[in-house]
Amino acid sequence: MNYYGKLWERVARHIPYLWRFSVVGLSGVAVNHALFTFLLSQGFSPVVSSAAAVELSVLNNFVLNDVWTFRGTGRRGLAYRLGMFHVSRALGAVVNVLTVAAMTGLLGANPNISNFVGIALAMLLNYFTSVGVVWRAGG
């Protein structure tokens, strides 16, 4: 089989996970942005609001990914998966919060746009750590 055929096989193996992961991710974006907006309206800084919103969305996404996206693929117990999910999300959370800090503090960007950019960058990291570390789906 040629290189492109092998590449397609690897990509195709992840399609069932990726579309569910994306749906879960969208729910996480909604949870994140709702809390972020609420905390901003209560006078919290964009950075504090982002940090709290990230943690709530991480918990939301773990539960939905564990019971739907990657159901049955985890090789270890619930506590291990939750712990690894949090560890794997730490980098994504740092990327998200630092993006908000840099965009709002250094560039003067709109906090809402900054938050969505941070979410998008973190999402890229989150999928690969989910399939490669937490649940080891598709391989």
Side-chain angles (χ1 to χ4, degrees), residues 95-109:
V95 166
N96 192 330
V97 173
L98 289 179
T99 298
V100 170
M103 289 183 70
T104 60
L106 299 175
L107 303 176

Side-chain angles (χ1 to χ4, degrees), residues 1-21:
M1 180 178 282
N2 65 25
Y3 171 77
Y4 295 108
K6 289 179 183 179
L7 179 62
W8 173 247
E9 281 183 6
R10 291 191 79 177
V11 170
R13 212 175 13 181
H14 289 278
I15 291 172
Y17 299 107
L18 187 56
W19 82 265
R20 288 183 294 226
F21 184 84

Side-chain angles (χ1 to χ4, degrees), residues 15-89:
I15 291 172
Y17 299 107
L18 187 56
W19 82 265
R20 288 183 294 226
F21 184 84
S22 297
V23 170
V24 169
L26 286 174
S27 78
V29 170
V31 167
N32 179 298
H33 194 64
L35 183 60
F36 181 76
T37 302
F38 173 75
L39 292 175
L40 282 178
S41 75
Q42 299 303 304
F44 289 91
S45 74
V47 173
V48 169
S49 299
S50 178
V54 164
E55 177 57 22
L56 184 60
S57 66
V58 165
L59 292 172
N60 171 80
N61 288 5
F62 173 77
V63 169
L64 294 177
N65 278 316
D66 200 56
V67 300
W68 185 49
T69 307
F70 301 111
R71 180 182 55 222
T73 63
R75 295 183 178 167
R76 303 241 178 136
L78 179 65
Y80 174 84
R81 291 192 310 275
L82 179 58
M84 289 306 296
F85 193 79
H86 265 84
V87 168
S88 72
R89 291 320 184 257

